[in-house]
Amino acid sequence: MSNKWIGALSLLLCGQLMASELVIESWRIDDKALWEQKIIPAFEASHPGIQVKFNGVQNVDYMPTLWASLKEGKAGDLITCRPFDDSLALFKAGHLAELTEMSGMENFPSFAQSPWQTDSGAQTFCVPMASVIHGFFYNKKIFSELGLSVPQTRDAFFAALDKVKADGRYVPLAMSGSESWVSSELGFQNIGPNYWKGEDGRLALIGGQERFDYPPYVKVFEELARWRPYLGEGGESRDYAATNELFTSGKAAFYVAGSWEIAPFTGKVDFGVMRPPVAKQGDGCFFTDHTDIGMGMNPASKNKEAAMAFLQWLTTPQFAELYTNSLPGFFSLSNHFFEVTNPAAKEMMEWRDQCDSTIRVATQILSRGTPKLGDELAEVSQAVLLGKMEPKAAADRLEQGLKGWYPPHQGNKVKGANCQCDAPAAAPAVSAAAATTEPPGAASTATPAVTETPATPAPSATPAAAASAAAAPLPAPSAEVEQALSNELETPQQ
């Protein structure tokens, strides 16, 4: 499909569209009611003649199910896009249309577009929709009973955990020990950015200047290992659903959190949000603000004009505000300004003004080979949390896995044991490549300061992170990389 044709479609007026029915493919089954009761009706009200249906598939089965449907010609018109390799694989296989010149893409900063672009950044294939933020929730009632204040440093965090444990009435830290993704995403990749300095460390791992067996990454595992005594009875076998129930029933003081739980928890428990603690008061802070969800068009759709109208609507202020406030904890990636109404979501979004953000360290490029870093990180993080693997052994295993297939980590490199894990953070350096895509400190400077009556921007405030793939040093394409991308389509998600 030519960019010229896409551009022409972008100019079509919705009133000129023939009656059409669109089907959205998505893994967000939990959001089905939201889409059917709020989002789709809002679109249909302004686009008469277009009807939209939401087809949800279980998260773990989404990519294999979608891939099978696409090959059989049965997939819907609109494809909900995971970030980076899952969607890149679909694009390379010809199952996502190019949207580079689509009107409305100018409403998204480069970091927001990068998870749905080719490695060079030359082609875009999904409209960015939302990010999710990692951190902690805390029970306000328990904090009041025990005289606790929200900890800012690691020492204060562990002192609070000790006080809850000594009291004996509550579980100090609600966390699933039985589901490995929790140990990785809400454990290692939650607290880790404060150790490896966010994007500086993540991009250095991609470029080979940093290694997983260097001190900052080992020390993340050391902190994760310290959490085990605070998980409470049965913590090792507790699943994610039971963990959520433990916290929402008021039986736990802290909860390792993804912002996607803000909406389900609101009204069930009086909770606040807490950033990952830093080493010392006054240190620079970093957190994970992960570009999570986008949407693209199936090139085989028989309703391309209607599908394009829907994708363009996703770029509007109406959708940005509706989505963010209807689904608190999912934060629009557009540059539009609007009020965030949920207090917890509003506070988490304001972290973008206070700290530098990054994305999950295993997501971009580093999981393309065998062993896949994302899978390895989940396995060793869980093992460290449960006391089945030493922190240094976990870090060594990750590095050895990368050395087995990833050229930037092959060969001998020597790095001093200098780790700013316990000292105030120096101002992070910004590589020349990164500086060409986002200004230094984009996570904190791109968003206007909060005023007394702030209109919250959807992310000029987000992931300084997401330094575009083009900003990171990339390995040369190879048959192995292409095969790894292809394998993404048939592999169930953890």
Side-chain angles (χ1 to χ4, degrees):
M1 184 182 312
S2 70
N3 291 340
K4 184 176 180 181
W5 184 83
I6 289 280
L9 274 181
S10 298
L11 300 176
L12 286 173
L13 297 175
C14 299
Q16 296 175 317
L17 297 175
M18 300 294 290
S20 304
E21 181 177 282
L22 300 176
V23 175
I24 296 173
E25 304 285 2
S26 177
W27 71 87
R28 292 290 308 172
I29 288 181
D30 292 347
D31 304 341
K32 183 177 175 65
L34 166 67
W35 280 88
E36 293 179 343
Q37 296 171 18
K38 288 190 175 183
I39 297 176
I40 291 174
F43 170 79
E44 291 178 345
S46 59
H47 295 77
I50 305 178
Q51 295 182 326
V52 184
K53 291 187 177 180
F54 183 90
N55 180 41
V57 176
Q58 285 291 342
N59 181 26
V60 295
D61 299 323
Y62 179 65
M63 290 308 296
T65 302
L66 176 62
W67 177 233
S69 297
L70 287 165
K71 288 194 295 184
E72 295 169 4
K74 298 178 180 179
D77 309 271
L78 296 162
I79 308 298
T80 305
C81 301
R82 295 186 187 278
F84 295 107
D85 287 354
D86 282 335
S87 294
L88 179 58
L90 288 176
F91 178 66
K92 284 178 172 288
H95 293 305
L96 284 171
E98 184 177 351
L99 303 177
T100 308
E101 297 181 12
M102 189 189 84
S103 176
M105 292 300 289
E106 68 275 8
N107 294 327
F108 301 94
S110 60
F111 75 76
Q113 296 186 42
S114 67
W116 298 285
Q117 292 179 326
T118 51
D119 286 345
S120 67
Q123 294 172 291
T124 303
F125 40 83
C126 296
V127 177
M129 286 174 59
S131 70
V132 291
I133 294 176
H134 298 203
F136 296 82
F137 295 166
Y138 63 92
N139 183 302
K140 291 183 177 181
K141 179 174 179 291
I142 294 174
F143 265 48
S144 178
E145 286 181 8
L146 300 183
L148 299 173
S149 58
V150 180
Q152 303 296 317
T153 66
R154 292 174 200 140
D155 286 346
F157 177 54
F158 282 100
L161 291 172
D162 285 334
K163 190 168 185 178
V164 176
K165 186 177 180 182
D167 177 79
R169 289 178 290 167
Y170 307 105
V171 171
L173 183 64
M175 181 177 185
S176 169
S178 71
E179 298 190 31
S180 60
W181 73 268
V182 174
S183 301
S184 171
E185 293 185 13
L186 300 180
F188 186 90
Q189 297 185 85
N190 185 355
I191 60 175
N194 276 328
Y195 286 88
W196 60 69
K197 308 307 174 192
E199 280 297 275
D200 281 354
R202 188 185 73 83
L203 294 177
L205 280 173
I206 292 175
Q209 295 86 22
E210 293 279 340
R211 305 289 177 91
F212 272 105
D213 52 5
Y214 288 172
Y217 310 94
V218 177
K219 286 185 174 292
V220 180
F221 282 123
E222 290 176 351
E223 180 178 344
L224 190 60
R226 291 181 64 188
W227 288 6
R228 187 184 178 197
Y230 305 106
L231 302 184
E233 184 178 355
E236 295 184 12
S237 58
R238 184 186 303 131
D239 64 20
Y240 186 67
T243 302
N244 291 356
E245 172 62 25
L246 183 70
F247 185 75
T248 57
S249 63
K251 298 176 182 177
F254 289 94
Y255 171 83
V256 290
S259 63
W260 55 87
E261 295 297 354
I262 289 177
F265 285 13
T266 297
K268 294 182 179 179
V269 62
D270 188 13
F271 69 97
V273 299
M274 183 188 97
R275 296 195 310 257
V278 296
K280 294 182 180 179
Q281 196 72 36
D283 280 0
C285 53
F286 302 82
F287 69 101
T288 297
D289 189 353
H290 189 69
T291 44
D292 185 65
I293 187 170
M295 189 169 291
M297 182 172 70
N298 179 358
S301 169
K302 294 180 174 59
N303 303 295
K304 292 184 177 68
E305 295 179 5
M308 184 60 63
F310 189 88
L311 291 177
Q312 286 188 300
W313 183 71
L314 297 184
T315 72
T316 65
Q318 180 189 12
F319 174 77
E321 182 172 5
L322 178 65
Y323 192 75
T324 300
N325 285 326
S326 297
L327 192 61
F330 286 80
F331 303 98
S332 170
L333 286 166
S334 73
N335 283 327
H336 300 302
F337 288 77
F338 55 89
E339 279 295 327
V340 176
T341 55
N342 180 284
K346 180 180 176 65
E347 184 174 351
M348 268 191 156
M349 200 169 185
E350 289 172 352
W351 294 353
R352 294 168 173 172
D353 298 319
Q354 304 157 7
C355 307
D356 287 325
S357 58
T358 184
I359 61 174
R360 295 171 191 157
V361 73
T363 302
Q364 185 184 18
I365 297 174
L366 299 181
S367 290
R368 288 182 183 173
T370 302
K372 185 175 179 178
L373 178 62
D375 294 344
E376 290 278 283
L377 184 55
E379 185 175 336
V380 301
S381 296
Q382 182 184 40
V384 169
L385 176 70
L386 301 183
K388 298 178 180 179
M389 182 179 285
E390 291 297 317
K392 184 61 166 63
D396 287 344
R397 177 170 159 183
L398 295 180
E399 186 55 37
Q400 289 304 311
L402 281 178
K403 283 182 178 179
W405 69 271
Y406 188 57
H409 280 242
Q410 295 167 347
N412 296 319
K413 286 203 174 187
V414 178
K415 179 182 172 75
N418 179 33
C419 170
Q420 297 178 354
C421 302
D422 299 307
V430 179
S431 71
T436 64
T437 56
E438 292 295 328
S444 56
T445 61
T447 305
V450 176
T451 63
E452 291 183 2
T453 55
T456 308
S460 354
T462 35
S468 98
L474 304 177
S478 67
E480 182 180 5
V481 167
E482 295 297 328
Q483 183 59 49
L485 286 172
S486 180
N487 291 343
E488 288 291 316
L489 301 176
E490 301 186 10
T491 304
Q493 304 294 309
Q494 286 201 340

